[in-house]
Amino acid sequence: MADTSKAVLEEVLDLLREGVYITDVNRVITYWNQGAERITGFKEGQIIGTPCQLNLLEHIEDSGNSLCEDACPLERAIKHGESFETEAHIHHKEGHRVPVFIRTSPIRDDNGQIIGACEVFGDISSRIATNKKLHELEKIAMLDHLTQLANRRYMELELAVKLENSKQTGAGVGVLFYDIDHFKAVNDTYGHDVGDDILRMVAKTLQKTARSLDILGRWGGEEFVEIVPNTSSDLLYVIAERNRVLVERSKYNRDTQPVQTTVSIGATLIQREDTMDSLLRRADQLMYQSKEAGRNRVTLG
């Protein structure tokens, strides 16, 4: 390549946001662009002429494995004559790690012989931060902050999925509708802070006893809904009655005075003709039958 052409190429490469470096077949670095300097902190003079085996950049996978020792992307490109893509965390001159997306390709001469390899890498810190933020926002949107259970929006989505699956497969899926008894009286007598503690206590009791397949969420106010897959009417009643007793035996101590809490429960299986409205209406009506029959009981229907 003529010196003029080489200078133009290097000028173009320096305009890239990505880091670019080139090695010979022995993986000695022969070119290092300004993007690589910006991302790693290493200047051209500190890198050119050094073999990548010195691990100045030390590509580390999420698992902690070193790509430089076990699966060097440049070595793979040179050895196999193919391009590779991966993600890793490289070492910055100041000591911290930078997450990067990596593309490596072999470099060939006019005769097709491999004479080296090129690595292009881009800083994906902002992408990871964005994804993390989106995940946090998604979690916030689906989480009830008081009880740390799923919120109503999430439960509605799960119920819609379970309704469709039950219709297609015929699998037994149960729904439990809980309502804390005399909750207004608790708030009026002891205050909303105690009421919030009662909600958290009931939520934890139900959460700790739920099976791994069960999905529990706060429906709103003092109401909770639990989706119970792979069940029958008999098993659903057993689960509901167990939970009722465990809530009854849970005790919130306000100073030295225990505050007793119970729940009324409506229990039902998803039926083939059910819609979301009909399912929830039936579960709610069954719960109210428990209320009318004296509270602190399960009504199955």
Side-chain angles (χ1 to χ4, degrees):
M1 180 184 298
D3 290 342
T4 301
S5 299
K6 181 180 179 181
V8 171
L9 176 59
E10 291 182 356
E11 184 177 347
V12 171
L13 290 176
D14 281 336
L15 294 175
L16 298 176
R17 295 177 58 187
E18 291 83 3
V20 179
Y21 69 97
I22 295 172
T23 73
D24 61 20
V25 289
N26 296 315
R27 289 188 286 155
V28 174
I29 298 173
T30 60
Y31 174 75
W32 185 258
N33 80 336
Q34 291 181 11
E37 289 187 5
R38 286 191 296 271
I39 294 172
T40 69
F42 288 103
K43 299 295 184 181
E44 180 183 24
Q46 299 170 298
I47 292 291
I48 297 295
T50 64
C52 73
Q53 296 95 316
L54 288 181
N55 285 349
L56 288 179
L57 300 181
E58 194 185 15
H59 300 53
I60 299 292
E61 295 180 302
D62 287 344
S63 62
N65 293 329
S66 172
L67 287 176
C68 300
E69 295 177 1
D70 303 324
C72 174
L74 287 167
E75 183 180 29
R76 292 172 65 187
I78 293 169
K79 183 176 180 180
H80 299 285
E82 298 176 357
S83 297
F84 294 93
E85 294 184 353
T86 190
E87 292 184 6
H89 301 261
I90 60 174
H91 171 240
H92 191 277
K93 183 184 176 183
E94 295 180 357
H96 58 274
R97 288 282 168 183
V98 180
V100 293
F101 178 76
I102 297 168
R103 295 183 297 273
T104 55
S105 299
I107 297 175
R108 302 176 186 272
D109 62 17
D110 294 339
N111 298 317
Q113 291 293 112
I114 295 175
I115 58 173
C118 174
E119 178 171 314
V120 180
F121 59 98
D123 185 344
I124 57 173
S125 302
S126 59
R127 191 193 78 187
I128 290 176
T130 299
N131 289 342
K132 183 178 179 182
K133 187 65 176 178
L134 289 172
H135 178 71
E136 290 173 352
L137 290 172
E138 182 180 79
K139 182 179 178 181
I140 290 170
M142 298 294 186
L143 189 70
D144 175 66
H145 292 286
L146 179 65
T147 62
Q148 297 298 297
L149 297 179
N151 63 15
R152 180 167 179 160
R153 179 186 176 197
Y154 181 84
M155 296 303 292
E156 287 176 341
L157 292 173
E158 285 293 332
L159 279 170
V161 172
K162 294 299 186 291
L163 269 167
E164 187 61 30
N165 288 346
S166 180
K167 290 178 181 179
Q168 291 181 0
T169 66
V173 179
V175 173
L176 299 177
F177 202 105
Y178 302 86
D179 187 279
I180 299 177
D181 296 325
H182 303 296
F183 187 70
K184 184 178 184 302
V186 171
N187 278 331
D188 291 344
T189 304
Y190 302 106
H192 288 280
D193 288 343
V194 172
D196 288 348
D197 287 341
I198 294 292
L199 284 168
R200 282 188 283 262
M201 181 187 72
V202 172
K204 285 182 180 179
T205 296
L206 296 176
Q207 186 179 40
K208 295 295 184 182
T209 59
R211 306 175 307 171
S212 59
L213 292 175
D214 300 340
I215 305 169
L216 175 69
R218 184 183 178 195
W219 195 247
E222 65 270 29
E223 296 175 334
F224 299 87
V225 167
E226 186 168 10
I227 303 170
V228 186
N230 298 344
T231 192
S232 62
S233 292
D234 290 343
L235 177 57
L236 185 64
Y237 183 83
V238 169
I239 291 172
E241 181 63 17
R242 177 200 63 192
N243 292 350
R244 181 197 65 78
V245 171
L246 290 172
V247 171
E248 182 184 22
R249 297 295 177 88
S250 301
K251 292 182 180 180
Y252 175 79
N253 291 311
R254 180 183 177 272
D255 299 327
T256 58
Q257 181 182 6
V259 179
Q260 192 71 37
T261 303
T262 62
V263 289
S264 295
I265 306 173
T268 190
L269 288 179
I270 291 177
Q271 300 170 8
R272 184 171 294 276
E273 66 276 11
D274 266 330
T275 63
M276 181 81 77
D277 288 341
S278 67
L279 173 64
L280 292 172
R281 191 183 313 114
R282 186 168 67 254
D284 185 59
Q285 289 171 348
L286 291 165
M287 181 272 292
Y288 273 106
Q289 288 180 34
S290 293
K291 293 278 191 186
E292 292 168 356
R295 296 181 171 84
N296 188 28
R297 63 191 63 220
V298 177
T299 302
L300 178 71

